[in-house]
Amino acid sequence: MDKRYLDYLDQLEAEAIHIMREVAGQFQKPALLFSGGKDSITLVRLAEKAFRPGKFPFPLVHIDTGHNFPEAIQYRDELAERLGEKLIVRHVEDTIKKQNLSEAKGRYASRNGLQTYTLLETIEEFGFDCCIGGARRDEEKARAKERIFSVRDEFGQWDPKRQRPELWNTYNGRIAMGENVRAFPISNWTELDVWNYIKRENIALPNIYYTHERECLVRDGKLMAWSDFIYRDPEEEIVTRKVRFRTVGDMTCTAAVESVAYDVDAVIAEIIESKISERGATRIDDKLSETAMEDRKKGGYF
């Protein structure tokens, strides 16, 4: 076989590493948004390949709603310590108190949207001019039309009509004072690509990505991880099921799927058979309206 041959994972990896190095080369103060989810964990592995044996040219940043899965928070802290990289954590709870924000009430209440305020505060506090995120085009229609270098205005807002062409893998990071960019190195990856890469690289994940028993609240046909953060109607049932999480966000808006996938190969087999995207199957916040994700992005969301 030709030694120059790259399989599709090699090509995706090379593109992502190129994008990360473009971010490091074009921006003065970038940051990598890290939640302890599989996509941001994949970004960290790619950053290792892009910049080791040196230090990352950016800190890891987590916007903590206070309603995150404890398994993800534990993984976040352990990974940052093992890597020896700087981890910046800012809390939505502090922003709520500081800006006197009102939290949503009722059965679909979530702090997910309030993360935007904390993120914009953090960008201003540290002067970040680019934030690297793990969004992918296969996840949701608003993300499908967003560029790899996504320019945000001085208020952090995204204008879909103001996107720049990205021809021949050329990325334009020029911004005006006060603007910033969100960069998405794995934008062209799919959920299956991510899991095949996790398998190839033998990347450890929080155990909630694999089948485990958990108390779940049954809501609108979905299984929500039961916690004190979730409002419960009297008629809503709490059951114990064998589940796993395809995506990990705020506990109040992320549903589980019933599963018997105890290892990476079994997860890959389930994804191949799946007919619904991970966000379509599990994210409550995306179903609040037809344009829920795009509306949040226009307001400054990740």
Side-chain angles (χ1 to χ4, degrees):
M1 181 182 292
D2 189 341
K3 292 182 179 179
R4 294 172 296 176
Y5 172 80
L6 299 177
D7 72 12
Y8 87 99
L9 283 179
D10 292 328
Q11 293 178 42
L12 289 172
E13 178 187 75
E15 179 189 53
I17 289 172
H18 168 66
I19 293 166
M20 283 200 166
R21 289 173 175 168
E22 282 291 307
V23 169
Q26 293 194 42
F27 298 96
Q28 298 296 315
K29 294 197 70 176
L32 192 155
L33 301 176
F34 183 76
S35 64
K38 70 180 188 309
D39 297 312
S40 58
I41 292 169
T42 298
L43 288 178
V44 168
R45 173 56 58 87
L46 292 164
E48 288 184 276
K49 293 199 172 189
F51 304 113
R52 287 293 190 246
K55 300 282 286 184
F56 292 176
F58 39 68
L60 308 179
V61 175
H62 184 215
I63 306 302
D64 189 345
T65 66
H67 295 168
N68 297 98
F69 288 89
E71 296 93 335
I73 297 300
Q74 180 182 349
Y75 184 100
R76 176 201 71 186
D77 295 340
E78 290 174 352
L79 181 66
E81 182 177 359
R82 176 174 63 80
L83 292 173
E85 297 292 343
K86 183 178 181 180
L87 172 66
I88 297 170
V89 180
R90 290 296 180 265
H91 300 275
V92 173
E93 180 75 31
D94 295 337
T95 305
I96 292 171
K97 294 175 181 177
K98 182 179 177 181
Q99 298 193 27
N100 196 27
L101 300 175
S102 297
E103 294 196 57
K105 306 295 183 184
R107 45 194 325 256
Y108 299 111
S110 171
R111 288 179 173 178
N112 200 40
L114 297 179
Q115 290 181 95
T116 297
Y117 296 93
T118 310
L119 174 62
L120 296 179
E121 274 189 352
T122 306
I123 289 172
E124 183 177 5
E125 177 185 355
F126 292 95
F128 294 135
D129 51 2
C130 180
C131 292
I132 303 168
R136 307 188 323 268
R137 286 178 174 143
D138 75 315
E139 292 181 284
E140 199 274 341
K141 56 184 178 292
R143 288 181 168 176
K145 64 183 182 182
E146 190 168 15
R147 298 289 191 263
I148 289 174
F149 271 25
S150 178
V151 179
R152 307 299 176 94
D153 66 18
E154 62 271 28
F155 302 106
Q157 298 171 326
W158 176 57
D159 182 356
K161 297 180 180 180
R162 190 173 164 252
Q163 299 191 90
R164 297 169 176 175
E166 292 180 339
L167 306 176
W168 305 292
N169 295 329
T170 301
Y171 307 106
N172 179 3
R174 183 174 296 180
I175 53 176
M177 183 69 69
E179 293 180 333
N180 63 82
V181 167
R182 311 289 165 82
F184 305 113
I186 61 171
S187 185
N188 290 330
W189 298 39
T190 66
E191 181 187 13
L192 184 58
D193 295 334
V194 171
W195 276 99
N196 280 327
Y197 191 74
I198 288 166
K199 177 183 177 180
R200 190 184 82 170
E201 298 293 312
N202 195 27
I203 300 173
L205 296 177
N207 58 17
I208 54 176
Y209 279 107
Y210 301 104
T211 297
H212 59 286
E213 278 198 354
R214 184 181 287 263
E215 282 192 331
C216 298
L217 176 73
V218 181
R219 171 169 294 166
D220 300 333
K222 297 187 182 297
L223 296 170
M224 307 289 295
W226 173 239
S227 76
D228 294 337
F229 309 134
I230 298 178
Y231 172 85
R232 179 190 177 193
D233 285 335
E235 68 275 9
E236 289 182 318
E237 183 182 8
I238 296 177
V239 298
T240 300
R241 293 283 189 272
K242 290 183 178 181
V243 299
R244 70 176 183 88
F245 291 87
R246 291 177 66 182
T247 179
V248 174
D250 192 295
M251 291 184 73
T252 59
C253 62
T254 306
V257 294
E258 291 196 80
S259 172
V260 291
Y262 292 94
D263 57 34
V264 65
D265 288 314
V267 170
I268 289 171
E270 283 192 354
I271 294 170
I272 291 172
E273 295 296 323
S274 177
K275 305 298 182 186
I276 306 175
S277 73
E278 59 197 291
R279 292 191 71 94
T282 66
R283 293 304 288 263
I284 308 300
D285 49 334
D286 289 349
K287 299 185 181 301
L288 296 181
S289 76
E290 191 66 27
T291 59
M293 172 63 80
E294 183 162 331
D295 291 342
R296 292 201 303 276
K297 279 183 170 291
K298 288 178 177 178
Y301 190 70
F302 304 128

